[in-house]
Structures are given as structure tokens and as C-alpha cells.
């Protein structure tokens, strides 16, 4: 099995910055794509940003130019640097990874979520 643990959420004023981290652990052979999703109250969970094992990235239009996704393959960790935050960025942010593990093979995994609140 693979476990994902997020950290770095919190309360920030509009225009501020936060950095989210997500560390994967377990019987990991390889991690393929890693991504961040977010879900605001009453809304569906949407993709924010995705990064492949080779470093190719993709962003939602609403965060392009403000958010940056990166990963450290040696640490099995993905990051989301969020700048110029807006109130509409308020949501629970979830880490997602497609990983190959010893016991399960290829699987899709989710973290527990971390709250990001942008408010003055």
C-alpha cells in the first residue's frame, strides 16, 4: 500500500502565498503522475495541477501563472507553491498519485486533504 500525507495548508490573506507538500510512503516501486486537486464546499473535486515522473506539468486555467507544481523523486514528494492567492482559491486541497507498489501493483492514491482558506 501507499500512503500520502499532505501538509502546509492554513489561513492566508488575499495576495499571500502558501506552499503545500505531499509525501508518499509505503512499499513503493515507482510513482508515475502526481497531482493536486481541490474541492470547495458544495462543488466537485477539480484538478489544480499535475506533474509527470519526467517533470511535464499541466495546470487548471484558473491557477496558471500563480501556482507551481514540482516534485522531488528521491523523496517521493510533490509540492504546490501558491502565490497571489484569491478568496476563490479557498478549498480543501488533495494530493493524488498513481503509484506502483510491491503488494498492489499500480494503484491510484489520495491524501486526507488540507484546508486552504484565503480571507482578510
Amino acid at each position: 500500500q501507499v500512503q500520502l500525507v499532505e501538509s502546509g495548508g492554513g489561513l492566508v490573506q488575499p495576495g499571500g502565498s502558501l506552499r503545500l507538500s505531499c509525501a508518499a510512503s509505503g512499499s513503493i516501486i515507482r510513482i508515475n503522475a502526481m497531482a493536486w486537486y481541490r474541492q470547495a464546499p458544495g462543488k466537485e473535486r477539480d484538478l489544480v495541477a499535475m506533474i509527470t515522473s519526467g517533470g511535464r506539468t499541466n495546470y487548471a486555467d484558473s491557477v496558471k501563472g500563480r501556482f507551481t507544481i514540482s516534485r522531488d523523486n528521491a523523496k517521493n514528494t510533490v509540492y504546490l507553491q501558491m502565490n497571489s492567492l484569491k478568496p476563490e482559491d479557498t478549498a480543501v486541497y488533495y494530493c493524488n498519485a498513481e503509484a506502483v507498489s510491491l503488494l498492489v501493483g499500480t494503484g491510484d492514491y489520495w491524501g486526507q486533504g488540507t484546508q486552504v482558506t484565503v480571507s482578510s
Side-chain angles (χ1 to χ4, degrees), residues 70-92:
S70 61
R71 63 190 284 176
D72 184 333
N73 291 330
K75 296 181 179 179
N76 289 333
T77 299
V78 63
Y79 307 96
L80 186 67
Q81 178 66 44
M82 305 185 293
N83 298 329
S84 302
L85 282 161
K86 304 174 181 180
E88 51 263 44
D89 295 318
T90 295
V92 178

Side-chain angles (χ1 to χ4, degrees), residues 17-112:
S17 298
L18 281 176
R19 188 192 195 210
L20 306 183
S21 299
C22 172
S25 61
S27 55
I28 299 169
I29 296 174
R30 181 179 70 252
I31 298 179
N32 297 326
M34 302 186 82
W36 290 95
Y37 287 73
R38 66 186 180 187
Q39 187 169 20
K43 295 188 177 181
E44 295 184 352
R45 189 175 298 187
D46 292 325
L47 176 67
V48 175
M50 182 272 293
I51 185 167
T52 67
S53 57
R56 189 171 69 248
T57 60
N58 186 38
Y59 295 92
D61 287 343
S62 59
V63 306
K64 284 181 180 177
R66 300 189 298 122
F67 291 11
T68 302
I69 189 171
S70 61
R71 63 190 284 176
D72 184 333
N73 291 330
K75 296 181 179 179
N76 289 333
T77 299
V78 63
Y79 307 96
L80 186 67
Q81 178 66 44
M82 305 185 293
N83 298 329
S84 302
L85 282 161
K86 304 174 181 180
E88 51 263 44
D89 295 318
T90 295
V92 178
Y93 284 70
Y94 295 91
C95 176
N96 171 265
E98 181 188 274
V100 181
S101 65
L102 285 171
L103 297 178
V104 177
T106 301
D108 190 59
Y109 299 92
W110 293 89
Q112 80 285 357

